[in-house]
Amino acid sequence: MRPELPEAVGRLRDELATVRLELEVPGAEDARRARDDLVTQADDYLLPRLAQMDAPVLMVVGGSTGAGKSTLVNSLVGSIVSPAGVLRPTTRAPVLACHPDDLHWFEGDRILPHVPRATGDSPAPGTLQLVTDAALPAGLALLDSPDIDSVLAENRALANQLLTAADGWLFVTTALRYADAVPWEFLRTARDRGTAMSVVLNRVPDDAAREVTSHMSEMMRTQSLDADLLVVREVPLEDGLIPPNALAPVRQWLDGLAADAQARAELIRRTLSGAVTSLPARAGKVERAVADQLSAAAELRAEVDLAYAEARREVEDALRSGSLLRGEVLERWHEVVGTGDVMRALQSRIGSARDRLKSVVTGKPSAGEELRVAVEHRLEAVVRAAGERAAERVARTWREHMAGRALLEATPDLGRAADRLQVDTEDQIRAWQGYVMELVRREGESKRTSARLASLGVNGAGLTVMLGVFASTGGLTGLEVVVAGGTSAVGQKVLEAIFGDQAVRELAAQARQDLVERADEVLRADSKRFEALIEGAATEAEGFARLHAAIDAVRRAS
Ligand SMILES: Nc1nc2c(ncn2[C@@H]2O[C@H](COP(=O)(O)OP(=O)(O)OP(=O)(O)O)[C@@H](O)[C@H]2O)c(=O)[nH]1
Ligand SMILES: [Mg+2]
C-alpha cells in the first residue's frame, strides 16, 4: 500500500458517488447496488481505516437468523448487552460493545457515519447502540449485527453494511443451519475479498459433534475458506449466557487476539488490503455499466433526432406540395382576390387584381385579416401534426428499448406532443407573419421592389408573399391547386402575374426559410422532453473518464 492510497480511494469514492446509472439497461440494478456498496464501504470503513490504522479492531458478529449471535456477544462480555430472544429477528438495532477507553473511537462519525447512534433505553431499529464494559479487552470491539438472512430487508441491508465495514468477521452459524445457502454466499464474498474471519459453529449437540464438525470443516476446505472453526457445544444457558466451558473456544480466540497487538494489526492489514484489492474489479463493473448507459442514451437520442428531423421534413414537404393552399386558405384567398364575376372582371386587366387586393386590405381589412388567420391556422395544424407524429414515433421506437420503455412508463403522455407545442407554434407563426410584413416593408423602402408588389401595399404584399411561400415552391404546383380551386385559365394568368413576380418569389423564398426554421425550433423544443430524460446519462460521459482514471490510481497505489 502506497502513501497515496487514501487519497486515491477518496477520489474513487467521490467519482462513484457522482455516477447516476439512471437508465434501466440490463444490469443497471446490480451496478447501482455495487456503486452504493462501494461508496458506503469507503465511508464506513476504508477511508477511516486508512486514515487511522491504530484504531481498535472492529469484529462484527454476523450470521444466520437466531444463530445465537447476541447470546454469544453477551457471553463474551459477561453480561446482557444485547437482548437475545425467541422472536425472529431479535436484533434490529446493532450493539457495539467495547472497552470504556475505546468508546471515543466509535462515538463520532469516524466510522459508519450514516448509521445513526442510538439514544435512550430502547434503541430504534437501524440505530447503533454503543455499550462499554471493562471486561472487554481494549483495542478490540465486538459488534452484534442483525441477521444476514432476515425476513426484514432492512436487517439484511444493515447486516451487509456492517460486515463490509468490519476489520474481521466472527461468523456464527449452527449445527442445524451451517449448510444453508445464504451464509455461504457471505462466506465466499469474505473469502474472495480476503476478509479476516473466524467461524463459530454454535449449539452443536454432544452426540453429533464429531460428524457436524468434520462436515463443516470439509465444506470449508472445499470452498477454500481459510478460517478458524470455533465449535460451541449446545448446553443450557446460565442467566442467558453460555457457560464458560462451552464458550472456551471462542474465549480463547478473543483472548489471543486481545493479547497480541501484532496479530490485531495483521488482521486489520489483511482485511484492508483485501478490500482495497477488490476495489478495481468492483468499480470496473460500475464503469462498464456507465459505458452501457452512454450507449443506451446515444441510441435513444438518435431516435429522437431521427423523429424530429423527419418532422421538419414533413413541414417542408407540406409547404412544397402546395397542399396548404387548399380549404380555408383558398376560400379566403378567393374572397380577397375575387372569384366568379370578380375574377372575370379581372381578366381584362391584370392590374385589376392588384387594385382589388389593395382595396380589400385597405378598404375592407377584415377579408385580409381572415386570410391571415386562415394561413395561421393551417400552418399551426401542420406543425402540430408533425409534432404529434414525431412524439409518437419516438415513443414507438423507445418502447422497443428496455431503458426507453422504463422512461415511457414513468413519464405520462410522453408519446404525445406537449401542450406547450400548441402555444409555442401560435407564437412562432405570429412572429413569422410579423417577420414577413417587416420583409415587405423593408423591400418597399429599398426602392428595389417591383412596382407590382409596391402597388399592393404592405398588407397586401405581405399576404401575397405568405401565399407565395405555399404557391411557388414546387414549380407551379401550388398555383395549380389555386387554379383547380375555381379560377379560370385567365384567372391563372392573374395569379401567375402576382406570384410569378421576381420580387414575390425572392421574398417568398426568404419567408419560407424563416418559417421552416421557426417550425423546427418549436419541434426541437418539444423534443427536449425526451432529451431531458436521457440528459443524466449524457452527463456521465465526463465522469466516465474520471472514474476510469480513479480506478487506475487505486490499482497503482494498492
Ligand atoms: N440453549 C441454548 N440456547 C441458545 C444458545 N444461543 C442462543 N440461544 C437461544 O436461541 C435464541 C436466539 O438467540 P439470539 O442470541 O437472540 O440469536 P441471534 O442470532 O442474536 O438472533 P437474531 O438477532 O434474531 O438474528 C434465544 O432464545 C437464545 O436464548 C445456546 O448456546 N444454547
Ligand atoms: Mg441477535
Side-chain angles (χ1 to χ4, degrees):
M1 284 189 225
R2 293 166 174 270
E4 59 270 28
L5 182 63
E7 203 198 314
V9 172
R11 209 175 110 206
L12 177 59
R13 178 243 175 254
D14 291 346
E15 289 306 334
L16 286 164
T18 64
V19 166
R20 299 164 69 149
L21 303 174
E22 281 168 354
L23 297 178
E24 290 299 342
V25 298
E29 189 56 46
D30 282 352
R32 278 179 216 130
R33 207 172 306 118
R35 169 201 61 194
D36 293 347
D37 285 351
L38 283 162
V39 171
T40 307
Q41 192 188 26
D43 290 343
D44 285 351
Y45 163 66
L46 288 167
L47 294 172
R49 183 42 93 196
L50 283 164
Q52 285 172 313
M53 294 296 284
D54 55 345
V57 168
L58 179 63
M59 290 301 298
V60 172
V61 181
S64 321
T65 190
K69 301 179 291 299
S70 301
T71 302
L72 190 72
V73 169
N74 292 335
S75 304
L76 287 169
V77 176
S79 63
I80 308 287
V81 291
S82 181
V86 284
L87 294 178
R88 298 273 75 78
T90 300
T91 306
R92 299 188 58 191
V95 177
L96 189 153
C98 66
H99 189 274
D101 292 349
D102 285 343
L103 183 63
H104 69 278
W105 289 107
F106 304 109
E107 276 176 323
D109 57 2
R110 186 187 64 93
I111 62 157
L112 299 166
H114 308 297
V115 180
R117 305 311 195 239
T119 51
D121 286 342
S122 47
T127 61
L128 178 65
Q129 203 188 353
L130 300 174
V131 299
T132 58
D133 199 308
L136 278 169
L140 196 159
L142 292 173
L143 199 163
D144 180 25
S145 150
D147 39 353
I148 53 167
D149 49 359
S150 189
V151 291
L152 297 178
E154 60 266 32
N155 264 20
R156 294 197 301 272
L158 185 55
N160 190 50
Q161 182 181 358
L162 295 174
L163 284 167
T164 46
D167 290 310
W169 293 11
L170 189 59
F171 197 86
V172 186
T173 185
T174 66
L176 290 174
R177 310 286 302 273
Y178 70 90
D180 288 0
V182 178
W184 280 101
E185 274 170 40
F186 275 80
L187 293 171
R188 277 191 288 269
T189 306
R191 174 199 66 194
D192 295 345
R193 291 210 191 139
T195 306
M197 174 170 48
S198 297
V199 177
V200 176
L201 187 56
N202 203 15
R203 307 190 65 169
V204 181
D206 274 337
D207 54 358
R210 191 188 291 267
E211 188 193 342
V212 169
T213 307
S214 78
H215 189 207
M216 179 63 176
S217 304
E218 180 55 31
M219 282 182 86
M220 287 170 68
R221 232 189 336 272
T222 336
Q223 299 284 339
S224 311
L225 196 71
D226 172 26
D228 296 327
L229 180 62
L230 312 170
V231 180
V232 176
R233 302 292 180 98
E234 166 85 68
V235 286
L237 298 177
E238 293 172 4
D239 296 329
L241 304 179
I242 303 167
N245 262 351
L247 188 64
V250 189
R251 171 71 68 198
Q252 271 166 26
W253 163 86
L254 184 73
D255 288 348
L257 204 54
D260 190 344
Q262 211 177 327
R264 288 202 303 276
E266 181 47 42
L267 182 146
I268 289 171
R269 252 196 306 278
R270 174 179 165 182
T271 301
L272 182 60
S273 129
V276 167
T277 311
S278 76
L279 287 179
R282 291 157 72 204
K285 183 172 164 180
V286 179
E287 188 191 3
R288 281 190 297 282
V290 173
D292 290 346
Q293 294 277 315
L294 292 178
S295 59
E299 282 166 30
L300 294 175
R301 180 180 311 270
E303 296 297 353
V304 176
D305 286 345
L306 267 177
Y308 283 87
E310 175 65 29
R312 178 194 170 112
R313 246 191 323 276
E314 248 179 57
V315 172
E316 284 174 323
D317 287 351
L319 295 182
R320 195 170 296 131
S321 71
S323 64
L324 292 180
L325 282 174
R326 290 199 186 96
E328 215 199 331
V329 170
L330 184 61
E331 277 168 33
R332 298 285 166 261
W333 167 253
H334 286 165
E335 272 175 26
V336 173
V337 297
T339 52
D341 292 344
V342 183
M343 210 59 213
R344 230 164 282 125
L346 286 174
Q347 291 166 12
S348 56
R349 212 159 44 90
I350 282 171
S352 297
R354 299 198 300 271
D355 294 345
R356 168 80 182 151
L357 189 55
K358 191 177 175 187
S359 79
V360 163
V361 291
T362 51
K364 199 183 125 200
S366 65
E369 176 59 13
E370 278 170 21
L371 175 57
R372 197 189 59 73
V373 170
V375 166
E376 201 175 295
H377 286 169
R378 277 302 279 142
L379 284 174
E380 278 163 19
V382 167
V383 176
R384 197 170 52 242
E388 288 291 355
R389 258 190 298 276
E392 275 166 27
R393 181 183 162 157
V394 174
R396 199 171 55 245
T397 50
W398 275 24
R399 206 164 283 127
E400 284 158 26
H401 198 289
M402 180 173 162
R405 197 160 51 241
L407 291 172
L408 285 165
E409 278 161 16
T411 325
D413 293 337
L414 202 54
R416 302 200 43 239
D419 295 342
R420 273 219 62 80
L421 179 82
Q422 172 87 26
V423 181
D424 290 350
T425 307
E426 285 167 15
D427 288 351
Q428 285 292 356
I429 303 290
R430 264 195 294 276
W432 172 71
Q433 290 180 329
Y435 166 81
V436 173
M437 291 303 174
E438 186 55 34
L439 261 188
V440 169
R441 198 171 294 125
R442 261 188 281 139
E443 177 78 11
E445 282 166 5
S446 74
K447 310 280 187 234
R448 279 182 288 109
T449 188
S450 66
R452 196 177 287 159
L453 191 61
S455 71
L456 297 174
V458 170
N459 279 354
L463 284 171
T464 304
V465 169
M466 284 178 211
L467 292 192
V469 167
F470 310 151
S472 56
T473 327
L476 285 178
T477 331
L479 210 46
E480 280 153 12
V481 175
V482 179
V483 172
T487 52
S488 66
V490 189
Q492 183 180 344
K493 283 215 168 55
V494 176
L495 296 167
E496 274 176 13
I498 294 176
F499 292 116
D501 183 296
Q502 181 64 19
V504 173
R505 276 218 302 267
E506 280 172 19
L507 291 176
Q510 280 185 56
R512 186 180 320 113
Q513 184 62 28
D514 186 69
L515 178 58
V516 169
E517 293 308 329
R518 286 174 194 274
D520 193 48
E521 200 175 303
V522 168
L523 292 165
R524 289 281 163 195
D526 197 41
S527 79
K528 292 279 183 287
R529 293 179 300 133
F530 294 100
E531 280 166 18
L533 295 172
I534 46 179
E535 213 169 48
T539 63
E540 309 247 68
E542 308 152 27
F544 183 66
R546 286 200 310 265
L547 177 60
H548 187 85
I551 295 173
D552 249 16
V554 167
R555 194 181 284 118
R556 278 197 308 274
S558 56

